[in-house]
Amino acid sequence: MNLDNFDRKLLNLIQTSFPITPEPYRELAETLGTTEEEIIRRLEKMRDTGIIRRLGGIFDSRKLGYRGTLCALKVPPGRISEVAEIINEYPGVTHNYIRDHDYNMWFTLLAENQAKIDGILAEIRAAAGIDQLLNLPARGIYKIKVQFDLSEVEHVK
């Protein structure tokens, strides 16, 4: 997809200044001098082509009373997609990715309490038929702010 100057401005804006109001797309349109419909059309196109994977808020899970853990599994290469589907069914899974390691599938899980985390991990073990799962609870919070300056980007694959 070729990004025009407007797309780049829109992407830069939503990374840093997404309006928290009843009509955020209308406010973005006013800021960029267009219509709400055009903002929504462009964002949908970028989502459909994979430029945007997710558009939503990020909350401090600890302040909401949640606990988090990082997990790693040893998944046979031929079962990666199958096991990923099982894991991704859980709403508390925030990331799931493959690594070049014996423990080759890693995911993060948030839940209301430790008992809930333990229950979900037991369900995943049973559903996937995989016992080799490392549970690596968060000891600290690491937030990395990532912002991409798209001013010079023209083409995205």
Side-chain angles (χ1 to χ4, degrees), residues 65-69 90-92 109-124 135:
Y66 282 69
R67 298 182 60 116
T69 191
Y90 291 88
L109 175 64
L110 295 173
E112 297 89 336
N113 54 54
Q114 190 60 50
K116 184 76 171 175
I117 287 174
D118 293 342
I120 291 169
L121 295 181
E123 289 176 19
I124 289 172
N135 179 11

Side-chain angles (χ1 to χ4, degrees), residues 126-141:
I130 294 177
D131 289 327
Q132 293 178 306
L133 184 150
L134 298 178
N135 179 11
L136 307 163
R139 291 187 177 170
I141 297 297

Side-chain angles (χ1 to χ4, degrees), residues 1 44-53 156-157:
M1 173 180 176
E44 284 177 344
K45 183 177 179 184
M46 286 187 264
R47 187 191 63 222
D48 292 346
T49 58
I51 304 276
I52 296 174
R53 189 173 44 185
V156 179
K157 291 183 180 183

Side-chain angles (χ1 to χ4, degrees), residues 3-12 32 42 150-151 153:
L3 296 176
D4 64 18
N5 192 44
F6 187 90
D7 290 328
R8 292 190 298 273
K9 285 180 183 178
L10 176 57
L11 287 170
N12 282 336
L32 295 171
R42 285 178 181 257
L150 300 168
S151 301
V153 175

